[in-house]
Amino acid sequence: DAGVTQSPTHLIKTRGQQVTLRCSPISGHKSVSWYQQVLGQGPQFIFQYYEKEERGRGNFPDRFSARQFPNYSSELNVNALLLGDSALYLCASSFRDVGFSTNEKLFFGSGTQLSVL
Amino acid sequence: EDKVVQSPLSLVVHEGDTVTLNCSYEVTNFRSLLWYKQEKKAPTFLFMLTSSGIEKKSGRLSSILDKKELFSILNITATQTGDSAIYLCAVHPGSGTYKYIFGTGTRLKVLA
């Protein structure tokens, strides 16, 4: 079975541009979470979606938005890019809702490396 | 504020050595703790520790959870160069919270 897949793997943008990152969860998984990992830091939570509904949002500005589709895939959008948005964006899937299910593991994709110039 | 602290930040050892990685946490209502290995990009799952499972072992890797003292350790015995990676610890702060809180990770380098 395929794991979590993310596209693109690398992306270079300039300040002010907009970007869309894509994620396909493990087959059968209904929850997708997005994390930002700046070089030298641990992943920081951005969003969690379960059954196409936003279930949680981290401390990120409104320039960050996401959605989940009926097939449980997800997109993360970032508008008005800043230099500080340069990071590895990780998508993680889980079978159930991370917030209410007991002991739900996250399975990560390989991420999208975003560079903002 | 919920937080997870890992130590050391980095570690260099020789093949065959044993290493101990530390993860301490302060969270509102602990539910579970996860360990991941991040070699290039994708963190890969190692262990989950909970109130009902405070010790795990898989081959040369083992982990324990001390809920009283609020920390976990990850042990790797007979290290190999393939163990070189960043090891991440993540804690779930409790019901109704939709995120895991990650530490900054420990960068392990194993020399041949």
Side-chain angles (χ1 to χ4, degrees), chain A residues 58-76:
Chain A
N59 189 23
F60 281 81
D62 291 344
R63 299 184 295 108
F64 288 76
S65 63
R67 54 181 174 168
Q68 186 178 33
F69 299 99
N71 66 353
Y72 303 110
S73 68
S74 178
E75 288 182 350
L76 175 69

Side-chain angles (χ1 to χ4, degrees), chain A residues 14-31:
Chain A
T14 57
R15 282 178 295 174
Q17 286 189 310
Q18 175 264 341
V19 68
T20 297
L21 312 181
R22 295 177 175 83
C23 172
S24 293
I26 293 171
S27 178
H29 283 195
K30 301 179 179 180
S31 174

Side-chain angles (χ1 to χ4, degrees), chain A residues 10-21 36 63-64 78-89 112-117:
Chain A
H10 295 85
L11 208 49
I12 298 175
K13 293 286 187 178
T14 57
R15 282 178 295 174
Q17 286 189 310
Q18 175 264 341
V19 68
T20 297
L21 312 181
Q36 181 197 65
R63 299 184 295 108
F64 288 76
V78 187
N79 294 322
L81 285 167
L82 303 175
L83 296 178
D85 295 331
S86 296
L88 178 68
Y89 288 85
T112 294
Q113 185 67 55
L114 173 64
S115 297
V116 182
L117 306 179

Side-chain angles (χ1 to χ4, degrees), chain B residues 44-99:
Chain B
T44 53
F45 173 79
L46 295 175
F47 296 120
M48 170 178 274
L49 299 155
T50 67
S51 300
S52 58
I54 61 172
E55 186 169 353
K56 294 288 178 72
K57 184 175 172 63
S58 176
R60 296 179 295 104
L61 276 66
S62 63
S63 183
I64 63 170
L65 173 69
D66 187 325
K67 279 199 67 182
K68 181 179 178 183
E69 299 298 330
L70 308 183
F71 75 89
S72 174
I73 62 172
L74 177 67
N75 280 313
I76 309 175
T77 60
T79 53
Q80 303 170 357
T81 55
D83 295 326
S84 296
I86 296 172
Y87 290 83
L88 295 167
C89 169
V91 174
H92 194 295
S95 180
T97 304
Y98 301 94
K99 64 181 180 183

